[in-house]
Amino acid sequence: MKVVAFNGSARRGGNTAILLGYTLSELKKEGIETELVELGGAEIHGCLACRKCSVRKNRRCSQENDMGNVCIEKMDAADGILLGSPTYVADVSPEIKALMDRACLVSKANSGMFRHKVGAGVVAVRRAGAMHAFDALNHFFLISEMIVAGSSYWNIGIGYEPGDVEKDEEGIRTMKVLGQNMAWLLKKLHAPS
């Protein structure tokens, strides 16, 4: 089993990556392979609404000049998907939004590529607006017919400067429980019948 996590922050290794790292560590402890993909500094364009994915049905976006298809391939191959974003004006980052829009359309065009995969969103926030960002991530999982893993609280960590989320004990605990719950759910879904 494998879980791929996407850090939608422009800051590589910042608060969003730290939060995702706590969740991935718990998955690793349970023997699940993990991968963290940093979108910061990489080129990923928004959806063009060209609908070529619906015509071609080749599990790819028509845009070939950025890392969008690399991410979509990783999502397709994984059993679980984590999407992480900082809070930008009470919403997700442009990088993660571009990935969500394109991946959603490609999935829908190809008979629901992500159906029954396990998903979870993680949000880093300075102070407020995190719930809207968290909802946006969860909407991707729900419209993609995925199974959303939960935690002991909303999957949010508080911090402003890089590394500040390390001071949010409840946020860290929430990320760890998320990893444990995601591992449990993946094992139940992949248990021999």
Side-chain angles (χ1 to χ4, degrees):
M1 285 178 285
K2 181 172 183 177
V3 172
V4 61
F6 296 91
N7 175 14
S9 175
R11 289 181 179 161
R12 290 174 174 249
N15 289 325
T16 307
I18 291 167
L19 294 171
L20 287 167
Y22 279 107
T23 303
L24 293 174
S25 291
E26 295 300 317
L27 288 158
K28 284 182 205 171
K29 286 179 191 175
E30 294 296 323
I32 295 169
E33 184 184 349
T34 65
E35 179 180 4
L36 175 64
V37 178
E38 298 265 10
L39 299 180
E43 222 175 313
I44 184 157
H45 306 292
C47 179
L48 298 175
C50 67
R51 300 261 183 211
K52 289 180 183 171
C53 58
S54 295
V55 174
R56 295 178 180 166
K57 298 190 183 299
N58 63 355
R59 302 173 96 77
R60 297 180 65 78
C61 174
S62 68
Q63 296 184 71
E64 298 286 349
N65 59 343
D66 67 1
M67 74 177 292
N69 281 320
V70 171
C71 294
I72 292 168
E73 287 170 9
K74 289 179 182 293
M75 294 167 91
D76 192 19
D79 302 292
I81 300 168
L82 284 165
L83 296 179
S85 179
T87 306
Y88 283 16
V89 193
D91 212 334
V92 295
S93 70
E95 293 86 354
I96 205 74
K97 179 66 169 138
L99 176 60
M100 289 186 332
D101 289 348
R102 288 172 62 187
C104 183
L105 273 141
V106 170
S107 175
K108 290 286 184 190
N110 290 277
S111 303
M113 289 165 42
F114 307 140
R115 181 182 295 125
H116 301 153
K117 292 181 184 283
V118 176
V122 167
V123 176
V125 64
R126 180 186 70 85
R127 188 172 186 87
M131 288 313 297
H132 182 76
F134 185 57
D135 287 345
L137 297 173
N138 285 321
H139 290 153
F140 168 81
F141 301 124
L142 295 172
I143 199 164
S144 298
E145 300 179 58
M146 295 175 64
I147 301 161
V148 180
S151 187
S152 54
Y153 196 71
W154 313 121
N155 307 337
I156 295 164
I158 298 169
Y160 182 60
E161 293 299 329
D164 279 356
V165 293
E166 296 282 9
K167 301 172 198 165
D168 181 7
E169 292 178 21
E170 185 178 14
I172 291 168
R173 189 169 50 252
T174 300
M175 297 308 140
K176 289 180 177 181
V177 171
L178 174 61
Q180 294 160 11
N181 289 346
M182 198 169 188
W184 179 88
L185 184 53
L186 283 163
K187 288 180 177 184
K188 290 292 183 184
L189 289 170
H190 293 278
S193 30

